[in-house]
Protein backbone atom coordinates (compact mmCIF):
# COMPACT_ATOMS: atom_id res chain seq x y z
CA UNK A 1 0.00 0.00 0.00
CA UNK A 2 1.28 3.46 -0.93
CA UNK A 3 2.13 5.77 1.92
CA UNK A 4 0.49 9.14 2.03
CA UNK A 5 1.60 12.38 3.52
CA UNK A 6 -0.08 12.66 6.94
CA UNK A 7 -1.96 15.85 5.99
CA UNK A 8 -3.01 14.58 2.53
CA UNK A 9 -6.48 13.14 2.13
CA UNK A 10 -7.18 10.19 -0.13
CA UNK A 11 -8.94 12.57 -2.53
CA UNK A 12 -5.86 14.79 -2.76
CA UNK A 13 -3.64 11.77 -3.36
CA UNK A 14 -5.83 10.76 -6.26
CA UNK A 15 -5.29 14.04 -8.10
CA UNK A 16 -3.01 13.45 -11.06
CA UNK A 17 -0.32 15.83 -12.19
CA UNK A 18 -2.42 16.86 -15.19
CA UNK A 19 -5.34 17.67 -12.94
CA UNK A 20 -3.07 19.67 -10.65
CA UNK A 21 -1.75 21.69 -13.57
CA UNK A 22 -5.29 22.24 -14.84
CA UNK A 23 -6.32 23.45 -11.38
CA UNK A 24 -3.40 25.90 -11.24
CA UNK A 25 -4.22 27.17 -14.73
CA UNK A 26 -7.81 27.65 -13.65
CA UNK A 27 -6.63 29.77 -10.73
CA UNK A 28 -4.33 31.78 -13.00
CA UNK A 29 -7.09 32.19 -15.57
CA UNK A 30 -4.99 31.02 -18.53
CA UNK A 31 -5.19 27.79 -20.51
CA UNK A 32 -2.21 25.89 -21.89
CA UNK A 33 -3.11 27.05 -25.41
CA UNK A 34 -3.31 30.70 -24.29
CA UNK A 35 0.01 30.40 -22.48
CA UNK A 36 1.73 28.86 -25.51
CA UNK A 37 0.16 31.43 -27.87
CA UNK A 38 1.43 34.30 -25.73
CA UNK A 39 4.98 32.85 -25.80
CA UNK A 40 5.08 32.86 -29.62
CA UNK A 41 6.77 35.79 -31.31
CA UNK A 42 4.59 38.19 -33.28
CA UNK A 43 6.12 36.81 -36.50
CA UNK A 44 5.28 33.22 -35.51
CA UNK A 45 1.70 34.18 -34.66
CA UNK A 46 1.41 36.09 -37.95
CA UNK A 47 2.55 33.00 -39.88
CA UNK A 48 -0.06 30.87 -38.14
CA UNK A 49 -2.74 33.48 -38.81
CA UNK A 50 -1.77 33.62 -42.48
CA UNK A 51 -1.97 29.81 -42.68
CA UNK A 52 -5.37 29.99 -40.98
CA UNK A 53 -6.55 32.56 -43.56
CA UNK A 54 -6.99 35.13 -40.79
CA UNK A 55 -5.66 38.66 -41.29
CA UNK A 56 -2.28 38.66 -39.48
CA UNK A 57 -2.41 42.42 -38.86
CA UNK A 58 -5.59 41.88 -36.87
CA UNK A 59 -5.17 38.48 -35.24
CA UNK A 60 -1.43 38.12 -34.51
CA UNK A 61 -1.58 40.64 -31.68
CA UNK A 62 -4.91 39.34 -30.36
CA UNK A 63 -5.03 37.10 -27.28
CA UNK A 64 -6.17 33.62 -28.24
CA UNK A 65 -8.95 33.72 -25.65
CA UNK A 66 -10.40 36.81 -27.38
CA UNK A 67 -10.89 34.86 -30.62
CA UNK A 68 -13.99 32.89 -31.50
CA UNK A 69 -14.01 29.11 -31.35
CA UNK A 70 -13.97 29.01 -35.17
CA UNK A 71 -10.93 31.31 -35.35
CA UNK A 72 -9.06 29.24 -32.77
CA UNK A 73 -9.92 26.11 -34.76
CA UNK A 74 -8.60 27.68 -37.97
CA UNK A 75 -5.32 28.43 -36.19
CA UNK A 76 -5.16 24.91 -34.76
CA UNK A 77 -5.69 23.39 -38.23
CA UNK A 78 -3.00 25.69 -39.68
CA UNK A 79 -0.62 24.64 -36.91
CA UNK A 80 -1.20 20.95 -37.66
CA UNK A 81 -0.56 21.56 -41.38
CA UNK A 82 2.56 23.58 -40.63
CA UNK A 83 3.94 20.93 -38.27
CA UNK A 84 3.37 18.28 -40.95
CA UNK A 85 5.19 20.39 -43.51
CA UNK A 86 8.07 21.12 -41.16
CA UNK A 87 8.58 17.38 -40.58
CA UNK A 88 9.05 16.94 -44.34
CA UNK A 89 11.75 19.62 -44.63
CA UNK A 90 14.58 18.29 -42.50
CA UNK A 91 17.58 20.36 -43.54
CA UNK A 92 18.38 23.83 -42.32
CA UNK A 93 21.97 23.85 -43.59
CA UNK A 94 22.48 27.23 -45.34
CA UNK A 95 24.82 25.76 -47.96
CA UNK A 96 22.22 23.20 -49.03
CA UNK A 97 19.61 25.96 -49.35
CA UNK A 98 21.97 28.07 -51.48
CA UNK A 99 22.71 25.11 -53.78
CA UNK A 100 19.05 24.24 -54.30
CA UNK A 101 18.87 26.52 -57.36
CA UNK A 102 21.62 24.56 -59.14
CA UNK A 103 19.34 21.59 -59.58
CA UNK A 104 16.38 23.43 -61.07
CA UNK A 105 14.51 21.08 -63.34
CA UNK A 106 13.07 22.53 -66.52
CA UNK A 107 9.35 22.08 -66.30
CA UNK A 108 7.15 22.39 -69.35
CA UNK A 109 4.84 25.40 -69.16
CA UNK A 110 1.26 24.76 -68.13
CA UNK A 111 -1.58 25.36 -70.59
CA UNK A 112 -2.44 28.54 -68.72
CA UNK A 113 1.16 29.78 -69.01
CA UNK A 114 1.24 28.91 -72.71
CA UNK A 115 -2.06 30.72 -73.33
CA UNK A 116 -0.77 33.80 -71.46
CA UNK A 117 2.47 33.78 -73.48
CA UNK A 118 0.51 33.53 -76.73
CA UNK A 119 -1.83 36.34 -75.64
CA UNK A 120 1.15 38.60 -74.82
CA UNK A 121 2.70 37.76 -78.20
CA UNK A 122 -0.51 38.69 -80.04
CA UNK A 123 -0.74 41.95 -78.08
CA UNK A 124 2.85 42.86 -79.05
CA UNK A 125 2.20 42.02 -82.71
CA UNK A 126 -0.99 44.12 -82.73
CA UNK A 127 0.91 47.03 -81.18
CA UNK A 128 3.67 46.73 -83.80
CA UNK A 129 1.07 46.56 -86.60
CA UNK A 130 -0.58 49.75 -85.31
CA UNK A 131 2.79 51.52 -85.14
CA UNK A 132 3.64 50.45 -88.71
CA UNK A 133 0.22 51.53 -89.92
CA UNK A 134 0.69 54.95 -88.23
CA UNK A 135 4.09 55.34 -89.90
CA UNK A 136 2.64 54.41 -93.27
CA UNK A 137 -0.11 57.01 -92.84
CA UNK A 138 2.51 59.68 -91.97
CA UNK A 139 4.58 58.78 -95.01
CA UNK A 140 1.54 58.92 -97.29
CA UNK A 141 0.53 62.30 -95.83
CA UNK A 142 4.01 63.79 -96.44
CA UNK A 143 4.46 62.26 -99.90
CA UNK A 144 4.22 64.77 -102.80
CA UNK A 145 2.62 62.06 -104.92
CA UNK A 146 -0.62 61.42 -103.22
CA UNK A 147 -3.37 59.17 -104.45
CA UNK A 148 -5.97 61.70 -103.21
Amino acid sequence: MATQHPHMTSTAAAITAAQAIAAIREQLGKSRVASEWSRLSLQQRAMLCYGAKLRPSTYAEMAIEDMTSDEREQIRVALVAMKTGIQVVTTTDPQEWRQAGKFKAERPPTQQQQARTEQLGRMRLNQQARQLDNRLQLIKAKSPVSGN
Side-chain angles (χ1 to χ4, degrees), residues 98-146:
R98 282 191 291 272
Q99 292 176 351
K102 291 181 182 178
F103 302 103
K104 182 179 177 185
E106 281 297 320
R107 296 183 191 115
T110 65
Q111 286 181 338
Q112 187 177 14
Q113 289 169 329
Q114 286 177 335
R116 179 72 178 144
T117 301
E118 289 175 16
Q119 181 184 19
L120 289 173
R122 282 192 294 276
M123 288 170 56
R124 282 189 209 106
L125 286 173
N126 285 336
Q127 183 180 16
Q128 289 173 349
R130 282 192 303 273
Q131 288 173 343
L132 288 173
D133 188 48
N134 288 341
R135 285 182 189 167
L136 181 60
Q137 296 303 322
L138 284 173
I139 291 171
K140 283 183 178 179
K142 290 181 181 179
S143 173
V145 180
S146 177

Side-chain angles (χ1 to χ4, degrees), residues 3-126:
T3 57
Q4 293 181 358
H5 188 277
H7 300 294
M8 191 180 286
T9 65
S10 61
T11 307
I15 294 178
T16 66
Q19 290 170 324
I21 291 171
I24 291 170
R25 290 197 185 281
E26 184 70 31
Q27 288 177 348
L28 295 174
K30 202 169 205 179
S31 70
R32 176 180 171 188
V33 171
S35 177
E36 290 174 353
W37 178 260
S38 66
R39 286 196 315 262
L40 291 173
S41 71
L42 186 60
Q43 181 185 19
Q44 291 166 328
R45 284 188 258 152
M47 287 187 297
L48 283 170
C49 291
Y50 182 80
K53 294 180 177 50
L54 297 172
R55 182 176 289 182
S57 61
T58 301
Y59 289 90
E61 293 187 29
M62 189 181 289
I64 199 88
E65 55 268 29
D66 293 338
M67 296 180 196
T68 67
S69 294
D70 288 342
E71 292 163 344
R72 287 191 299 269
E73 177 62 9
Q74 285 176 259
I75 290 174
R76 188 195 68 76
V77 169
L79 178 61
V80 169
M82 199 174 284
K83 286 173 82 173
T84 302
I86 288 171
Q87 290 173 355
V88 171
V89 180
T90 59
T91 183
T92 57
D93 178 32
Q95 189 165 357
E96 285 189 59
W97 281 86
R98 282 191 291 272
Q99 292 176 351
K102 291 181 182 178
F103 302 103
K104 182 179 177 185
E106 281 297 320
R107 296 183 191 115
T110 65
Q111 286 181 338
Q112 187 177 14
Q113 289 169 329
Q114 286 177 335
R116 179 72 178 144
T117 301
E118 289 175 16
Q119 181 184 19
L120 289 173
R122 282 192 294 276
M123 288 170 56
R124 282 189 209 106
L125 286 173
N126 285 336

